[in-house]
Coordinates of all heavy atoms in Angstrom, one line a residue:
R66 N 3.8 27.7 -4.8 CA 2.7 28.7 -5.1 C 3.3 29.9 -5.7 O 4.2 30.6 -5.1 CB 2.1 29.1 -3.7 CG 1.0 30.1 -3.9 CD 0.5 30.6 -2.5 NE -0.4 31.7 -2.6 CZ -0.1 33.0 -2.8 NH1 1.2 33.3 -3.0 NH2 -1.0 33.9 -2.9
L67 N 2.9 30.3 -6.9 CA 3.4 31.5 -7.6 C 2.5 32.7 -7.3 O 3.0 33.8 -7.1 CB 3.4 31.3 -9.1 CG 4.3 30.1 -9.6 CD1 4.2 29.9 -11.1 CD2 5.8 30.4 -9.2
D68 N 1.2 32.5 -7.2 CA 0.2 33.5 -6.8 C -1.1 32.7 -6.4 O -1.1 31.5 -6.4 CB 0.0 34.6 -7.8 CG -0.6 34.1 -9.1 OD1 -1.5 33.2 -9.1 OD2 -0.2 34.6 -10.2
D69 N -2.1 33.5 -6.1 CA -3.4 32.8 -5.7 C -4.0 31.8 -6.7 O -4.7 31.0 -6.3 CB -4.4 33.9 -5.3 CG -4.1 34.6 -4.0 OD1 -3.2 34.1 -3.3 OD2 -4.7 35.7 -3.8
N70 N -3.6 32.0 -7.9 CA -4.2 31.2 -9.0 C -3.3 30.2 -9.7 O -3.7 29.4 -10.5 CB -4.9 32.1 -10.0 CG -6.0 32.9 -9.5 OD1 -6.9 32.3 -8.9 ND2 -6.0 34.2 -9.7
H71 N -2.0 30.4 -9.4 CA -1.0 29.7 -10.3 C 0.1 29.0 -9.4 O 0.6 29.7 -8.5 CB -0.3 30.7 -11.2 CG 0.5 30.2 -12.3 ND1 1.2 31.0 -13.1 CD2 0.7 28.9 -12.8 CE1 1.8 30.2 -14.0 NE2 1.5 29.0 -13.8
A72 N 0.3 27.7 -9.7 CA 1.3 27.0 -9.0 C 2.3 26.4 -10.0 O 2.0 26.3 -11.2 CB 0.7 25.8 -8.2
E73 N 3.5 26.1 -9.5 CA 4.5 25.5 -10.3 C 4.9 24.1 -9.8 O 5.2 24.0 -8.6 CB 5.8 26.3 -10.4 CG 6.9 25.7 -11.2 CD 8.2 26.5 -11.2 OE1 8.3 27.5 -10.5 OE2 9.2 26.0 -11.8
L74 N 4.8 23.1 -10.6 CA 5.2 21.7 -10.3 C 6.8 21.8 -10.1 O 7.5 22.2 -11.0 CB 4.8 20.7 -11.3 CG 5.3 19.3 -11.1 CD1 4.6 18.7 -9.9 CD2 4.9 18.5 -12.4
K75 N 7.3 21.3 -9.0 CA 8.7 21.3 -8.7 C 9.2 19.9 -8.3 O 8.5 19.2 -7.7 CB 9.1 22.3 -7.6 CG 8.8 23.7 -7.9 CD 9.6 24.3 -8.9 CE 11.1 24.5 -8.6 NZ 11.9 25.1 -9.6
S76 N 10.4 19.6 -8.7 CA 11.2 18.5 -8.1 C 10.5 17.1 -7.9 O 10.4 16.5 -6.9 CB 11.7 18.9 -6.7 OG 12.5 20.0 -6.8
M77 N 9.9 16.6 -9.0 CA 9.3 15.3 -9.0 C 10.3 14.3 -9.3 O 11.1 14.4 -10.2 CB 8.1 15.3 -10.0 CG 7.1 14.2 -9.7 SD 5.6 14.4 -10.6 CE 6.0 13.5 -12.1
R78 N 10.3 13.2 -8.4 CA 11.3 12.2 -8.6 C 10.8 10.8 -8.1 O 10.2 10.8 -7.0 CB 12.6 12.5 -7.8 CG 13.7 11.6 -7.9 CD 14.4 11.6 -9.2 NE 15.6 10.8 -9.3 CZ 16.6 11.1 -10.1 NH1 16.5 12.1 -10.9 NH2 17.6 10.3 -10.0
T79 N 11.1 9.8 -8.8 CA 10.8 8.4 -8.4 C 12.1 7.7 -8.0 O 13.1 7.8 -8.6 CB 10.2 7.6 -9.6 OG1 9.0 8.3 -10.0 CG2 9.8 6.2 -9.2
S80 N 12.0 6.9 -6.9 CA 13.1 6.1 -6.4 C 13.5 5.1 -7.5 O 12.6 4.5 -8.1 CB 12.8 5.5 -5.1 OG 12.6 6.4 -4.1
R81 N 14.7 4.7 -7.6 CA 15.2 3.7 -8.6 C 14.4 2.4 -8.5 O 14.0 1.8 -9.5 CB 16.7 3.5 -8.5 CG 17.5 4.6 -9.0 CD 19.0 4.3 -8.9 NE 19.8 5.5 -8.8 CZ 20.3 6.1 -9.8 NH1 20.1 5.7 -11.0 NH2 21.1 7.2 -9.7
Q82 N 14.2 1.9 -7.3 CA 13.6 0.6 -7.1 C 12.1 0.6 -7.4 O 11.5 -0.4 -7.5 CB 13.9 0.0 -5.7 CG 13.2 0.8 -4.6 CD 14.1 1.8 -3.9 OE1 14.9 2.5 -4.5 NE2 13.9 1.9 -2.6
F83 N 11.5 1.8 -7.6 CA 10.1 1.9 -8.0 C 9.9 2.4 -9.4 O 8.7 2.7 -9.8 CB 9.4 2.9 -7.0 CG 9.2 2.3 -5.6 CD1 10.2 2.5 -4.6 CD2 8.1 1.6 -5.3 CE1 10.0 2.0 -3.4 CE2 7.9 1.0 -4.1 CZ 8.9 1.2 -3.1
K84 N 10.9 2.5 -10.2 CA 10.8 2.9 -11.6 C 9.9 1.9 -12.4 O 9.9 0.7 -12.1 CB 12.2 3.0 -12.3 CG 13.1 4.0 -11.7 CD 12.9 5.3 -12.4 CE 14.0 6.3 -11.9 NZ 13.7 7.7 -12.2
Q85 N 9.2 2.4 -13.4 CA 8.3 1.6 -14.2 C 7.2 1.0 -13.5 O 6.7 -0.1 -13.9 CB 9.1 0.6 -15.0 CG 10.3 1.1 -15.8 CD 9.8 2.1 -16.9 OE1 8.8 1.9 -17.6 NE2 10.5 3.3 -17.0
R86 N 6.7 1.6 -12.4 CA 5.6 1.0 -11.6 C 4.5 2.0 -11.4 O 3.7 1.9 -10.5 CB 6.2 0.5 -10.2 CG 7.1 -0.7 -10.4 CD 7.8 -1.1 -9.2 NE 6.9 -1.4 -8.0 CZ 7.4 -1.7 -6.8 NH1 8.6 -1.8 -6.6 NH2 6.5 -1.9 -5.8
G87 N 4.5 3.1 -12.2 CA 3.4 4.1 -12.2 C 3.5 5.1 -11.1 O 2.6 5.9 -10.8
I88 N 4.7 5.2 -10.4 CA 4.9 6.1 -9.3 C 4.8 7.6 -9.8 O 4.2 8.4 -9.2 CB 6.2 5.8 -8.5 CG1 6.1 4.4 -7.9 CG2 6.4 6.9 -7.5 CD1 5.0 4.2 -6.9
A89 N 5.4 7.8 -10.9 CA 5.4 9.2 -11.4 C 4.0 9.7 -11.7 O 3.6 10.8 -11.4 CB 6.3 9.3 -12.7
T90 N 3.2 8.8 -12.2 CA 1.8 9.1 -12.5 C 1.0 9.4 -11.2 O 0.3 10.4 -11.0 CB 1.1 8.0 -13.3 OG1 1.7 7.9 -14.5 CG2 -0.4 8.3 -13.4
K91 N 1.3 8.6 -10.2 CA 0.6 8.8 -8.8 C 1.1 10.1 -8.2 O 0.3 10.8 -7.7 CB 1.0 7.6 -7.9 CG 0.3 6.3 -8.2 CD 0.7 5.2 -7.3 CE 0.1 3.9 -7.6 NZ -0.9 3.7 -8.6
L92 N 2.4 10.4 -8.3 CA 2.9 11.7 -7.8 C 2.2 12.9 -8.5 O 1.7 13.8 -7.9 CB 4.4 11.8 -8.0 CG 5.2 10.8 -7.0 CD1 6.6 10.7 -7.5 CD2 5.1 11.3 -5.6
L93 N 2.2 12.8 -9.9 CA 1.6 13.9 -10.6 C 0.1 14.1 -10.3 O -0.4 15.2 -10.1 CB 1.8 13.7 -12.1 CG 1.2 14.7 -13.1 CD1 1.8 16.1 -12.7 CD2 1.5 14.4 -14.5
L94 N -0.6 13.0 -10.3 CA -2.1 13.1 -10.0 C -2.3 13.6 -8.6 O -3.2 14.4 -8.3 CB -2.7 11.7 -10.1 CG -2.8 11.2 -11.6 CD1 -3.4 9.8 -11.7 CD2 -3.6 12.2 -12.5
H95 N -1.4 13.3 -7.6 CA -1.5 13.8 -6.3 C -1.3 15.3 -6.3 O -2.1 16.1 -5.6 CB -0.6 13.1 -5.3 CG -0.7 13.5 -3.9 ND1 -1.7 13.1 -3.1 CD2 0.0 14.4 -3.2 CE1 -1.6 13.6 -1.9 NE2 -0.6 14.4 -1.9
I96 N -0.3 15.8 -7.0 CA 0.0 17.2 -7.0 C -1.2 17.9 -7.7 O -1.6 19.0 -7.2 CB 1.3 17.5 -7.8 CG1 2.5 17.0 -7.0 CG2 1.4 18.9 -8.3 CD1 2.8 17.9 -5.8
L97 N -1.7 17.4 -8.8 CA -2.9 18.0 -9.4 C -4.1 18.1 -8.5 O -4.8 19.1 -8.4 CB -3.2 17.3 -10.7 CG -2.2 17.4 -11.8 CD1 -2.5 16.5 -13.0 CD2 -2.0 18.8 -12.3
N98 N -4.3 17.0 -7.7 CA -5.4 17.0 -6.8 C -5.2 18.0 -5.7 O -6.1 18.8 -5.3 CB -5.6 15.6 -6.2 CG -6.8 15.5 -5.3 OD1 -7.9 15.8 -5.7 ND2 -6.6 15.2 -4.0
E99 N -4.0 18.1 -5.2 CA -3.7 19.1 -4.1 C -3.9 20.5 -4.6 O -4.4 21.4 -4.0 CB -2.3 18.9 -3.5 CG -2.2 17.6 -2.7 CD -3.0 17.8 -1.4 OE1 -3.0 18.9 -0.8 OE2 -3.5 16.7 -0.9
A100 N -3.4 20.7 -5.9 CA -3.5 22.1 -6.5 C -5.0 22.4 -6.6 O -5.4 23.6 -6.4 CB -2.8 22.1 -7.8
T101 N -5.8 21.5 -7.0 CA -7.3 21.7 -7.1 C -7.9 22.0 -5.7 O -8.6 23.0 -5.6 CB -8.0 20.4 -7.7 OG1 -7.4 20.1 -9.0 CG2 -9.5 20.6 -7.8
L102 N -7.5 21.2 -4.7 CA -8.0 21.5 -3.3 C -7.6 22.9 -2.8 O -8.3 23.5 -2.0 CB -7.5 20.4 -2.4 CG -8.0 19.0 -2.6 CD1 -7.3 18.0 -1.7 CD2 -9.5 19.0 -2.3
H103 N -6.5 23.4 -3.3 CA -6.0 24.7 -2.8 C -6.5 25.8 -3.8 O -6.0 26.9 -3.7 CB -4.5 24.7 -2.6 CG -4.1 23.9 -1.4 ND1 -3.8 22.6 -1.5 CD2 -4.0 24.3 -0.1 CE1 -3.5 22.2 -0.2 NE2 -3.6 23.2 0.6
A104 N -7.4 25.5 -4.7 CA -8.1 26.4 -5.6 C -7.2 27.1 -6.6 O -7.5 28.2 -7.1 CB -8.8 27.5 -4.7
F105 N -6.1 26.5 -7.0 CA -5.3 27.0 -8.1 C -6.1 26.8 -9.4 O -6.8 25.8 -9.5 CB -3.9 26.3 -8.2 CG -3.0 26.7 -7.0 CD1 -2.7 25.8 -6.1 CD2 -2.5 28.0 -6.9 CE1 -1.8 26.1 -5.0 CE2 -1.6 28.3 -5.9 CZ -1.3 27.4 -4.9
K106 N -5.9 27.7 -10.3 CA -6.6 27.6 -11.6 C -5.6 27.1 -12.7 O -6.1 26.7 -13.7 CB -7.1 29.0 -12.0 CG -8.0 29.7 -11.0 CD -9.3 29.0 -11.0 CE -10.2 29.8 -10.0 NZ -10.7 29.0 -8.9
Q107 N -4.3 27.2 -12.4 CA -3.3 26.8 -13.4 C -2.1 26.2 -12.7 O -1.7 26.7 -11.6 CB -2.9 28.0 -14.2 CG -1.9 27.8 -15.3 CD -1.5 29.1 -16.0 OE1 -1.9 30.2 -15.6 NE2 -0.8 28.9 -17.1
I108 N -1.5 25.2 -13.3 CA -0.2 24.7 -12.8 C 0.8 24.6 -14.0 O 0.4 24.2 -15.1 CB -0.4 23.4 -12.1 CG1 1.0 22.9 -11.4 CG2 -0.9 22.3 -13.0 CD1 0.8 21.9 -10.3
S109 N 2.0 25.1 -13.8 CA 3.0 25.1 -14.9 C 4.3 24.4 -14.4 O 4.4 24.1 -13.2 CB 3.3 26.6 -15.3 OG 2.1 27.2 -15.7
L110 N 5.1 24.2 -15.3 CA 6.4 23.5 -15.0 C 7.5 23.9 -16.0 O 7.2 24.3 -17.1 CB 6.2 22.0 -14.9 CG 5.8 21.3 -16.1 CD1 7.1 20.8 -16.9 CD2 5.0 20.1 -15.8
E111 N 8.7 23.7 -15.5 CA 9.9 23.8 -16.4 C 10.6 22.4 -16.4 O 10.7 21.8 -15.3 CB 10.8 24.9 -15.9 CG 12.1 25.0 -16.7 CD 13.2 24.0 -16.3 OE1 13.2 23.5 -15.2 OE2 14.1 23.8 -17.2
T112 N 11.0 21.9 -17.5 CA 11.7 20.7 -17.6 C 12.7 20.8 -18.7 O 12.7 21.8 -19.5 CB 10.8 19.5 -17.8 OG1 11.6 18.3 -17.6 CG2 10.2 19.4 -19.1
G113 N 13.6 19.9 -18.8 CA 14.7 19.9 -19.8 C 14.2 19.5 -21.2 O 13.3 18.8 -21.4
T114 N 15.0 20.0 -22.2 CA 14.7 19.6 -23.6 C 15.5 18.4 -24.0 O 15.3 17.8 -25.1 CB 15.1 20.8 -24.5 OG1 16.5 21.1 -24.3 CG2 14.2 22.0 -24.3
M115 N 16.5 17.9 -23.2 CA 17.3 16.8 -23.5 C 16.6 15.5 -23.5 O 15.5 15.4 -22.9 CB 18.5 16.7 -22.6 CG 19.4 17.9 -22.5 SD 18.5 19.2 -21.6 CE 19.9 20.0 -20.7
E116 N 17.1 14.5 -24.2 CA 16.5 13.2 -24.3 C 16.2 12.6 -22.9 O 15.2 11.9 -22.7 CB 17.4 12.2 -25.1 CG 16.7 10.9 -25.4 CD 15.4 11.0 -26.2 OE1 15.3 11.9 -27.0 OE2 14.6 10.1 -26.0
Y117 N 17.1 12.9 -21.9 CA 16.9 12.4 -20.6 C 15.5 12.7 -20.0 O 14.9 12.0 -19.2 CB 18.0 13.0 -19.7 CG 17.9 12.7 -18.2 CD1 18.4 11.5 -17.7 CD2 17.2 13.5 -17.3 CE1 18.3 11.2 -16.4 CE2 17.1 13.2 -16.0 CZ 17.6 12.0 -15.5 OH 17.5 11.7 -14.2
F118 N 14.9 13.9 -20.4 CA 13.7 14.4 -19.9 C 12.5 14.0 -20.8 O 11.3 14.3 -20.4 CB 13.7 15.9 -19.8 CG 14.7 16.4 -18.8 CD1 16.0 16.9 -19.3 CD2 14.5 16.4 -17.5 CE1 16.9 17.3 -18.4 CE2 15.5 16.8 -16.6 CZ 16.7 17.3 -17.0
A119 N 12.7 13.2 -21.8 CA 11.6 12.8 -22.7 C 10.5 12.1 -22.0 O 9.3 12.3 -22.2 CB 12.1 12.0 -23.9
P120 N 10.8 11.1 -21.1 CA 9.7 10.4 -20.4 C 8.9 11.4 -19.6 O 7.6 11.2 -19.5 CB 10.4 9.4 -19.6 CG 11.7 9.1 -20.2 CD 12.1 10.5 -20.8
A121 N 9.5 12.3 -18.9 CA 8.8 13.3 -18.1 C 7.8 14.2 -19.0 O 6.7 14.3 -18.7 CB 9.7 14.2 -17.4
R122 N 8.4 14.6 -20.1 CA 7.5 15.4 -21.1 C 6.3 14.6 -21.6 O 5.2 15.1 -21.6 CB 8.4 16.0 -22.2 CG 9.4 17.0 -21.8 CD 10.1 17.7 -23.0 NE 10.6 16.8 -24.0 CZ 11.9 16.4 -24.0 NH1 12.7 16.7 -23.0 NH2 12.3 15.6 -24.9
A123 N 6.6 13.4 -21.9 CA 5.5 12.5 -22.3 C 4.4 12.3 -21.2 O 3.2 12.4 -21.5 CB 6.0 11.1 -22.8
L124 N 4.8 12.2 -20.0 CA 3.9 12.0 -18.9 C 3.1 13.3 -18.8 O 1.8 13.2 -18.6 CB 4.7 11.8 -17.6 CG 3.8 11.7 -16.3 CD1 2.9 10.5 -16.3 CD2 4.7 11.8 -15.1
Y125 N 3.7 14.5 -18.8 CA 3.0 15.7 -18.7 C 2.0 15.9 -19.8 O 0.8 16.3 -19.6 CB 3.9 16.9 -18.6 CG 4.9 16.8 -17.4 CD1 6.3 17.1 -17.6 CD2 4.5 16.3 -16.2 CE1 7.2 17.0 -16.6 CE2 5.4 16.2 -15.1 CZ 6.7 16.5 -15.3 OH 7.6 16.4 -14.3
L126 N 2.4 15.6 -21.0 CA 1.5 15.7 -22.2 C 0.3 14.8 -22.0 O -0.9 15.2 -22.3 CB 2.2 15.4 -23.5 CG 3.2 16.5 -24.0 CD1 4.1 16.0 -25.1 CD2 2.5 17.8 -24.4
K127 N 0.5 13.6 -21.5 CA -0.5 12.6 -21.3 C -1.6 13.1 -20.3 O -2.8 12.8 -20.4 CB 0.1 11.3 -20.9 CG -0.9 10.2 -20.6 CD -0.2 9.0 -20.1 CE -1.2 7.9 -19.7 NZ -0.6 6.7 -19.1
H128 N -1.1 14.0 -19.4 CA -2.0 14.4 -18.3 C -2.5 15.9 -18.6 O -2.8 16.6 -17.6 CB -1.4 14.2 -17.0 CG -1.3 12.8 -16.6 ND1 -2.4 12.1 -16.1 CD2 -0.4 11.9 -16.8 CE1 -2.1 10.9 -15.9 NE2 -0.9 10.7 -16.3

Side-chain angles (χ1 to χ4, degrees):
R66 179 189 174 281
L67 299 175
D68 62 39
D69 288 344
N70 295 309
H71 194 186
E73 178 184 1
L74 177 64
K75 296 294 291 183
S76 301
M77 202 165 88
R78 182 69 173 208
T79 300
S80 298
R81 290 183 203 270
Q82 67 265 38
F83 286 91
K84 296 268 186 195
Q85 304 299 316
R86 293 174 50 186
I88 298 301
T90 297
K91 288 180 185 349
L92 290 165
L93 180 58
L94 292 176
H95 185 76
I96 289 288
L97 292 173
N98 184 59
E99 287 292 327
T101 301
L102 291 173
H103 288 91
F105 289 110
K106 306 286 185 240
Q107 180 181 11
I108 188 162
S109 303
L110 63 91
E111 178 277 336
T112 191
T114 58
M115 301 75 144
E116 186 60 28
Y117 176 85
F118 298 99
R122 292 191 306 269
L124 175 70
Y125 302 137
L126 287 169
K127 179 180 174 184
H128 290 279

